[in-house]
Amino acid sequence: MVYSIRSNSDTGYSTPAKGHSPAGHQKVKAAFRSTTAPKGWLLLCVAILLFAAGTLCCTAAAEEAVGAAVAAYSPEWKAFEGEGTAEDPFLISTYEDLARMRDFVDAGVTYKGCHFAQTSDITFPEGVNWEPIGSHSESKAFSGTYDGQGHVISNIVCSSWRPSLFLELDGEVRNLGIESGSFSGNLAGCIASYGTKNAVLFNCYNKASAHGTERAGGIADNMNSGKIISCWNLGEVTCEAGVSGELACYNAGQITGCISVKPYTPAKTNKAVIEDCYAFKTEDPEKSVDAFNRMLYYAGVERGQKVYYVKLGENGLCFGGADYKPMGVIKQEVKALLITYGPLLFLAGLTALFAVWMIVRICKNKISLRAAETAAADSEPAAPEEAKAKTARRLKLAGELILFSVLLAFGLYTANTALELKKTGATRTVHEFYAQPKGTVDVLLLGSSKVGINLDAETFWKTNGISAYALWGGTQPVWNTYYYLKEALSCTTPKAVVVEVSGVTKDFNYSPEGQQYTNTFGLRPSGNKLEAVRVSTQQDRWFELFTGAPIYHTRYAELTGSDFDSFFWSKKDWVDRKGTAVQYASTSETAIEDATGIDECAYLPEKQEYYLRRIIDLCREQNIPLVFIATQTWEREDDQPYFNSVQKIADSFEIPFINFNLLDSEIGFVIEDMFPDDYGHVNMKGARKNSYYLSRYLADRYGLEDHRGDPKYQSWENFAHNTVNQYFTLIKKSDDYLKELARNDRSVIFVKHKAAADEKLTDFLARMQEAGLYSDFLNTPGDGCWVMESTRDSTQIQPCDAAQAGTLLLDGKEFAVSLKERKITCGEEETLAFESGIYCVVYDPYTHDTVDTFKLY
Amino acid sequence: MKYGAFDWLAFWDSLSMNFISLLFLAFAALVVALYYLFPKKIRWTVLLAGSIGFCAVGGWHTVAFPCLMALVAYFAAIVIEGTERKQRKTRRLVLTIGALILIGTLAIIKINGLIKWEAGKFIFPMGISYYTFSLVAYIADVYWGKDKAEKNYFKLLLFALFFPKILQGPIARHKTLGPQLVKGNSFDSKACIAGIQLMIWGYFKKMVIGDRLVMFTSTVFASYDKLGGGILLLNAVLSAFQLYADFSGCIDIARGLSQMLGITLEKNFDRPFSSKSAAELWRRWHITLGAWFKDYVMMPLAISPKLIKFCNTVGKRFGKRTVKALMTIIPTLIVWLLTGIWHGTGINYVLWGVYWAILMIVSSVFAPEIAKLAKLFRIDTTKESWKKFQVVRTFLLFCGGRVISTMPTPAAMGEYFARIFTKPQLWQFFDGTLFAQGLSELEFAISVVLVGLLIAVSCMQAKKSVRETIDGWNVVFRCAIYALALVLIFVFGIYGPSFNASSFAYMNF
């Protein structure tokens, strides 16, 4: 090796040696000479640098400043001594403190990032049944750190479904002992009943008894993938179903350095990584733990200090502190290292020996090396070719490449467009938004499915001539709403933005996979989309989510005709859709909770709140009025605390917040009649109520223009007609039909056939009158056929020829009425076939189409 | 950005040495572009940097192993070349030790991978089987004077690491590949386009055909004990096509990419399923591996005086024919056992080696008897139908080999073959069982069409290279066919989260 270094420093490095030199020494030198110029190495470095820089540029995105810090707006939950930080934790010294903390966790304060410290031993009062801290839901789990500081809890009595100190643990509990008491119920876990993947139980012990009907664990019940480290249990664990573990029961996650006393299995478990756990083999468990404590004492390790490895050695217990590793562990680690790096060490060792041997031989001149041969720099002589032919060839090649690219682009476009997800409330809603005429959207409605279903853009148009677009995505978290807003503002400038905030109740950092797709796929490839994708999912999925094709290309097996209507040459009617997807479903009669009078606040999930605030920032920056709304939900008691928190944020920025859950009577919302499904979606009637109220509010407050009659806004007129026409076909109740006829201006042909003039008919006619439609003409004996040109002016009635058959003219179309054959035909098509009763044919002179036929009576 | 910040470490961890990703394509394009942008003399450094970068993705050990191995080969070759021919012993010693270090490392890696260690993480340096063989061949060639020792260590390192071939070969020879790598090829648009075309076909074979079929074959192989013989037979046939599509697809990607760089990699497949005998099959399937074993194991053994002496002493008693037979049997058996072990270290691979060895031995040693049999049954071996039969027979033998190597234990293997004959359960083709094995009816229909395509392309290749045929077409058709292939990969390729990530079948050798 020394040799090669020396020859490298040679100035003649770049000159290739020629011919044989007499001395072997020289030959060796030559052998090591390379034909490569030193410039080459420089350029190699440059290449590496270029490569690195290129990759950097490709993926680098501007890091944005961290937004406004999350403000704490509900001070009660931190009313403990201390600041809740690691240096200055909240202090718990009495049972009352602990119970108070429990109540806040039950109310939804997760204390994420907060620290608690127990400052004294707590004895629970007699006769009190302990309610575990938190409940079995992610939003009501304890996510902070609770440090017992070596203190204990005694006399705890807990009898419930999941008897435990912490019901669901998402944080850490350390250095805590449960000295005495009992836990009994279905799924008994003493310190924690249920642990998430973040859960850690460290250096805790339990002496209380655990009794479960289904399962019982001495430290915890189901730890999923959480950790139990250096814990021990001395309490009696019994279970009626026979599923019990001295430490954990169901899923035991990771158990490290724990001691279990009686049965020799540390955990009865589905999945667990158990390391360094030891079970005492002794008849008298008390004795062994005493021995354990004595050992701790002698070693100067007090309870509460870290004890990592405890082992039952040949002479009893042996153990150590944080740095202590028993021989077995060291041996294992060495073995692991050998397995991993053994082959490489083998190769490296032999290579080194071999190399040394060779070099020694070379240096001893035992080998005569032939000189390196000159690698002639091959400069191929350029073939003398006619420049013309060359150009022609190049042109041909270029043409071919262009043709190929065009064909490929067309093929990929067609395939991609056909395969794309096309869902209302997902990609379609966004695509249709892009198709809107520039600058026509006055009100932008944003949020989850509640925006698409609980609001009706048609009503905005109908009542106030407001052009509203519902840009929504199913189960949309606030960050996706934020990026929809950002993207929308890059194409249009609305006069008001309405954001539905019910996304804030969802405590997750990423939505379920399907919703990640639906809430990002619709966006055009842009910086906004890239950002939206980055926020919506884990890094390793950014590419899939941004391009979409890796996910939806498998749809070829499920393509239908409607997948082929989205090409740029076939998507004309997109402009006539405004995102609204109201449902006409019938109603259900479940009781609903009452939200009035709930004024507690819940801690908003951090990421949701962060983007809620960014929405505020964005609207303020662009100077666009922002309105928060919350539409009806079933779980009003659960959701109201979140809405109260939103209210506080909205108040501090003077943003109006309309919570429809509190406005039932004000807007005339009848729960039984308007609330159809379990997802908090109201029906058409409810949507109209909400929209009526909201559109009036917006029109009054922001002075929005009435665009009705403006040809630029014709698509909204088309949309309104289409929506209502579709609604006609779905109405099942006669009364609703009459109301709808009165509400919307349509032409109607009434046919009365063999309807007996009795009380029922009178009643019907009265109802028709009440709905706002003139009905006297039907109150004649005998059959007949009438044309009402416009329901707006329902008194203008033209009776049709009273004869057996007649023709009537409507909007330039001839309708042949035959009472004898009991049908109405328009041209070749049969419009209506009727029997006895009163029928109507609804015709829309705006779309020039027959909308629907209905038996009114 | 508070959320969604880019994490370089996680990004690096998420990378893998794999041809099937857009990132790889971008990387390859970058390397090709830089290659032609650099001055000719140092173009090879771009390849070296690219190769090291590509291997570094697999972890530092993936770079460390070939670096050390190339160092061994480098010293060994230089010393062998530098030692005078008269010093035979020294030369031989260096050759033996060098080769032993290389092969020994490979053996240790293979054994290490075989044992299920309780502790520790077994790391497998990608492609070690391929470059080890290349380097051993290089030392041996230098020893025999067929090749010249490379004086620049980094050039030899590039030969070992060259990234298109490191994953799945072909097992290159330094004599042909080495000079091409370091020469500094000039840009040739025609070769470049031909390379792209070959890559498209490679990706098509791998992503559309191979990975589709593997969904079926892996399911059936896993639940062979619940299925009827009919499906098992079909599976054996499809698994042969699957392996071919997968392996040759990857080779075509590697060859296409090399062609773009002006480098010709050796052919690894030459219409293997048109072979008429087992020996021919192995001259057409994984050609470079077969050639390696022939040149560096079979030939030295066959001409080794010790073996000849041994055969003579043993065979003396039984006559001349036995001596001759032994001279065939012993090297064949050794070569095929080694070939089996090269593919995998399980008992199934040993059996697989024995299987092929027996086939080879039977066909060569008992050739006279077989000819007699044919005469006895009045088979006209010159007829076309007999040749067709031979092709089908050879293909089925290959399928049998595929089953042997895939089944984990001899018992399972026996059960698999037994079921084909004892429990055909042909109704399973019609009662929906067939379409519950990972491929739905639609997917199965697509697969059948694709296998048809594979066979059709093979037939076309018999006359002329398919690319040349297409070059003769009208320009519109020519462009359309390649565009179509890419669109088909886009739609029908097996990629993305809705399919499980698949890896090349021949990558772990």
Side-chain angles (χ1 to χ4, degrees), chain A residues 18-22 27 369-371:
Chain A
K18 282 173 190 165
H20 293 255
S21 311
K27 285 174 192 166
L369 290 185
R370 282 176 229 152

PDB file of all heavy atoms in Angstrom, chain A residues 18-22 27 369-371:
ATOM      1  N   LYS A  18       6.018   3.376 -21.119  1.00  0.00           N
ATOM      2  CA  LYS A  18       6.130   2.696 -22.405  1.00  0.00           C
ATOM      3  C   LYS A  18       7.311   1.734 -22.365  1.00  0.00           C
ATOM      4  O   LYS A  18       8.349   2.046 -21.811  1.00  0.00           O
ATOM      5  CB  LYS A  18       6.323   3.700 -23.533  1.00  0.00           C
ATOM      6  CG  LYS A  18       4.995   4.373 -23.907  1.00  0.00           C
ATOM      7  CD  LYS A  18       5.199   5.492 -24.905  1.00  0.00           C
ATOM      8  CE  LYS A  18       3.911   6.271 -25.034  1.00  0.00           C
ATOM      9  NZ  LYS A  18       4.097   7.537 -25.686  1.00  0.00           N
ATOM     10  N   GLY A  19       7.106   0.620 -22.912  1.00  0.00           N
ATOM     11  CA  GLY A  19       8.192  -0.347 -23.028  1.00  0.00           C
ATOM     12  C   GLY A  19       8.566  -0.968 -21.697  1.00  0.00           C
ATOM     13  O   GLY A  19       7.998  -0.664 -20.670  1.00  0.00           O
ATOM     14  N   HIS A  20       9.533  -1.860 -21.709  1.00  0.00           N
ATOM     15  CA  HIS A  20       9.950  -2.539 -20.496  1.00  0.00           C
ATOM     16  C   HIS A  20      11.113  -1.801 -19.866  1.00  0.00           C
ATOM     17  O   HIS A  20      12.051  -1.423 -20.530  1.00  0.00           O
ATOM     18  CB  HIS A  20      10.369  -3.967 -20.827  1.00  0.00           C
ATOM     19  CG  HIS A  20       9.223  -4.782 -21.286  1.00  0.00           C
ATOM     20  ND1 HIS A  20       8.618  -5.736 -20.505  1.00  0.00           N
ATOM     21  CD2 HIS A  20       8.537  -4.767 -22.456  1.00  0.00           C
ATOM     22  CE1 HIS A  20       7.639  -6.279 -21.173  1.00  0.00           C
ATOM     23  NE2 HIS A  20       7.553  -5.705 -22.358  1.00  0.00           N
ATOM     24  N   SER A  21      11.054  -1.609 -18.615  1.00  0.00           N
ATOM     25  CA  SER A  21      12.200  -1.043 -17.902  1.00  0.00           C
ATOM     26  C   SER A  21      12.992  -2.207 -17.372  1.00  0.00           C
ATOM     27  O   SER A  21      12.432  -3.259 -17.050  1.00  0.00           O
ATOM     28  CB  SER A  21      11.728  -0.186 -16.740  1.00  0.00           C
ATOM     29  OG  SER A  21      10.739   0.697 -17.193  1.00  0.00           O
ATOM     30  N   PRO A  22      14.257  -2.026 -17.241  1.00  0.00           N
ATOM     31  CA  PRO A  22      15.079  -3.156 -16.824  1.00  0.00           C
ATOM     32  C   PRO A  22      14.808  -3.524 -15.370  1.00  0.00           C
ATOM     33  O   PRO A  22      14.757  -4.700 -15.042  1.00  0.00           O
ATOM     34  CB  PRO A  22      16.501  -2.661 -17.042  1.00  0.00           C
ATOM     35  CG  PRO A  22      16.400  -1.161 -17.095  1.00  0.00           C
ATOM     36  CD  PRO A  22      15.037  -0.832 -17.577  1.00  0.00           C
ATOM     37  N   LYS A  27       9.221  -1.560 -12.918  1.00  0.00           N
ATOM     38  CA  LYS A  27       8.067  -2.226 -13.519  1.00  0.00           C
ATOM     39  C   LYS A  27       6.856  -2.165 -12.599  1.00  0.00           C
ATOM     40  O   LYS A  27       5.734  -1.954 -13.002  1.00  0.00           O
ATOM     41  CB  LYS A  27       8.404  -3.684 -13.818  1.00  0.00           C
ATOM     42  CG  LYS A  27       9.286  -3.835 -15.018  1.00  0.00           C
ATOM     43  CD  LYS A  27       9.689  -5.282 -15.149  1.00  0.00           C
ATOM     44  CE  LYS A  27      10.806  -5.421 -16.160  1.00  0.00           C
ATOM     45  NZ  LYS A  27      11.425  -6.733 -16.073  1.00  0.00           N
ATOM     46  N   LEU A 369       6.876  -7.913 -13.069  1.00  0.00           N
ATOM     47  CA  LEU A 369       5.611  -7.486 -13.648  1.00  0.00           C
ATOM     48  C   LEU A 369       5.857  -6.890 -15.014  1.00  0.00           C
ATOM     49  O   LEU A 369       6.802  -6.150 -15.225  1.00  0.00           O
ATOM     50  CB  LEU A 369       4.957  -6.442 -12.744  1.00  0.00           C
ATOM     51  CG  LEU A 369       4.423  -6.967 -11.419  1.00  0.00           C
ATOM     52  CD1 LEU A 369       3.699  -5.846 -10.706  1.00  0.00           C
ATOM     53  CD2 LEU A 369       3.490  -8.130 -11.627  1.00  0.00           C
ATOM     54  N   ARG A 370       4.978  -7.258 -15.875  1.00  0.00           N
ATOM     55  CA  ARG A 370       5.058  -6.615 -17.181  1.00  0.00           C
ATOM     56  C   ARG A 370       4.538  -5.199 -17.064  1.00  0.00           C
ATOM     57  O   ARG A 370       3.702  -4.901 -16.237  1.00  0.00           O
ATOM     58  CB  ARG A 370       4.186  -7.364 -18.187  1.00  0.00           C
ATOM     59  CG  ARG A 370       4.839  -8.610 -18.688  1.00  0.00           C
ATOM     60  CD  ARG A 370       3.858  -9.337 -19.594  1.00  0.00           C
ATOM     61  NE  ARG A 370       3.795 -10.726 -19.193  1.00  0.00           N
ATOM     62  CZ  ARG A 370       2.724 -11.488 -19.376  1.00  0.00           C
ATOM     63  NH1 ARG A 370       1.636 -10.979 -19.886  1.00  0.00           N
ATOM     64  NH2 ARG A 370       2.742 -12.743 -19.033  1.00  0.00           N
ATOM     65  N   ALA A 371       5.043  -4.352 -17.861  1.00  0.00           N
ATOM     66  CA  ALA A 371       4.613  -2.954 -17.783  1.00  0.00           C
ATOM     67  C   ALA A 371       3.188  -2.815 -18.307  1.00  0.00           C
ATOM     68  O   ALA A 371       2.738  -3.612 -19.122  1.00  0.00           O
ATOM     69  CB  ALA A 371       5.550  -2.086 -18.604  1.00  0.00           C
TER      70      ALA A 371
END
